[in-house]
Amino acid sequence: MSPLFRVSAIRTTGIVCAMLACALLASCSKAAKQTLRLNLVPGNTYALSVRTSSDAVIAGPDGNNIPIAATSVNRFTLQAGEVDFRGDTFVSAQAGDTEFPFVFVPLAAIFKTYTFGIKLSPIGRISEFVNTETMREGIRGSLAALGSGTTIYGNTTPDAAIALISDDGLRSMIEPVTAIWPEAPVAPGDEWNGPDTYSPAFHTIASSRYRLKSWDDSEVKIHVEIEIRPAGDRARDPNRLHVGDTSGQGTGEIRVDPMLGTIRSYEVTQETSGSFKGTDGVEYKTTATSRIQAELTAR
C-alpha cells in the first residue's frame, strides 16, 4: 500500500468517525429532551405558599420620600380531584394564613373561611374558576357589615378589598407559580414562555420567560425572567385600589422535583417603578424592590 493511499485511508476513516460521533451526539442531544409536567395526584393534598416582601419609596409632590416596607402572604391548601377529558385537574382551594398589605384588614381573616375551585392544566395554567362569585358575595356581605378600613390609600371600601380576590386577582396570586411548565419536552438550554398574567391590584401585565438550566434525577433548575408593564387599555376595576402605571423587571430561579412534579422553591427579585393617585387626587411616584418566595409541595 502506497503512503499516499494510507494517508487517504486514514483521513477517510477519521472523517467517518467524526460523522458518526456527530450523529451520536445529535442523537443523544435529541434523546435528552424530557417532559416536565405538574403532577397533582387525585385525592392528594398540596400546599401552595407565596410570600412577597417589598421595600418601596413613595415620593410626593412636596419632594418628601416615604419608605414603606410591606409583606403579603398567600397560603393555600389544594385538594386534587378528578381529571377531565382535557387532562385538567379540578382542585379545591382554601386560603390559610393570608396577609394583604395596605388593604381592608378583615379581608384575610374572612377569605380563609371559604373554599373555591380551579381547574389546572398539565402545565399549571388555570383554565376555569369554580364557585368564586358565590365566595365573593359571602365575603362582601361580611365586610359591608364592618364598614371601611383605613389604609395607605385612604379609606378602602369593602368593594375595593373584594377586587383583590376577583378571578384576575386570584389568578395573579396562583398562576405565576403553578404555570412554569413547558408545553413541549425540553433539554438544558431550551427556553419557553409562560402565560401573561394580569394583576388588578396594580393594573399590570407580567410576562415570564423560562430557560432550563439543568436536569438530573433529583432536581431540575429553571431560570426565569419577568417583564412587568402597564396594562394599558385593559378594563380597570372601578373598585380597585387607587394605583397608576407600574413597570419593571424580575429575575430568579425555580427548583423542581422532576419525580413528583412539584415546585421546591420559586425565588424571584423584581425592580419596579410607577405612580398612583391617592383618594385626594394627588399623584405619588413609587419605586420598589420585591422578593417573591414560593413553593408547591405535597403534604
Side-chain angles (χ1 to χ4, degrees):
M1 183 182 295
S2 69
L4 182 60
F5 181 81
R6 284 199 301 269
V7 171
S8 177
I10 292 171
R11 182 177 297 168
T12 301
T13 302
I15 293 172
V16 171
C17 289
M19 292 176 63
L20 288 173
C22 289
L24 180 60
L25 286 173
S27 176
C28 290
S29 176
K30 184 177 180 180
K33 288 186 179 288
Q34 301 181 66
T35 300
L36 269 177
R37 284 290 185 270
L38 177 65
N39 184 23
L40 300 184
V41 179
N44 286 4
T45 302
Y46 299 84
L48 171 64
S49 174
V50 185
R51 184 180 190 275
T52 302
S53 56
S54 298
D55 292 310
V57 175
I58 298 178
D62 56 3
N64 290 330
N65 291 337
I66 305 171
I68 300 289
T71 300
S72 66
V73 178
N74 294 290
R75 295 191 178 98
F76 297 92
T77 297
L78 306 180
Q79 180 75 42
E82 296 181 353
V83 179
D84 67 16
F85 67 96
R86 297 173 299 186
D88 293 356
T89 302
F90 176 78
V91 176
S92 177
Q94 182 167 22
D97 296 329
T98 299
E99 300 174 19
F100 295 96
F102 310 140
V103 298
F104 198 94
V105 175
L107 173 63
I110 300 170
F111 179 43
K112 70 180 183 180
T113 65
Y114 284 83
T115 299
F116 61 95
I118 55 178
K119 284 191 175 183
L120 284 175
S121 74
I123 56 173
R125 303 188 183 191
I126 298 174
S127 59
E128 184 179 346
F129 285 94
V130 181
N131 200 40
T132 52
E133 188 53 43
T134 300
M135 173 189 71
R136 283 189 287 271
E137 284 301 318
I139 295 174
R140 182 180 285 107
S142 297
L143 291 178
L146 297 171
S148 64
T150 301
T151 73
I152 191 171
Y153 300 104
N155 288 330
T156 301
T157 65
D159 279 345
I162 285 293
L164 293 176
I165 55 171
S166 64
D167 284 358
D168 279 333
L170 294 172
R171 186 185 297 275
S172 70
M173 292 181 206
I174 297 170
E175 199 171 59
V177 180
T178 63
I180 66 167
W181 313 89
E183 295 187 48
V186 289
D190 285 350
E191 297 184 347
W192 65 96
N193 293 322
D196 286 351
T197 303
Y198 171 65
S199 169
F202 298 101
H203 198 59
T204 57
I205 292 176
S207 301
S208 299
R209 179 76 174 169
Y210 305 98
R211 175 173 52 82
L212 183 60
K213 293 176 62 177
S214 64
W215 186 328
D216 59 39
D217 291 341
S218 62
E219 188 170 72
V220 173
K221 293 181 182 179
I222 300 169
H223 176 76
V224 58
E225 294 184 356
I226 299 171
E227 178 191 1
I228 301 163
R229 60 189 186 277
D233 59 359
R234 175 159 181 157
R236 293 173 182 256
D237 188 325
N239 295 314
R240 70 182 182 84
L241 298 178
H242 299 278
V243 295
D245 292 328
T246 300
S247 60
Q249 294 180 326
T251 185
E253 183 176 87
I254 304 165
R255 299 188 175 203
V256 168
D257 186 319
M259 299 298 292
L260 296 178
T262 53
I263 302 166
R264 289 178 177 161
S265 68
Y266 173 105
E267 297 192 4
V268 169
T269 298
Q270 295 179 172
E271 302 285 345
T272 57
S273 61
S275 64
F276 71 90
K277 285 187 177 180
T279 54
D280 55 3
V282 175
E283 183 173 287
Y284 299 84
K285 302 293 185 181
T286 67
T287 58
T289 299
S290 302
R291 292 164 294 278
I292 303 161
Q293 299 170 299
E295 61 181 20
L296 174 58
T297 55
R299 281 192 162 179

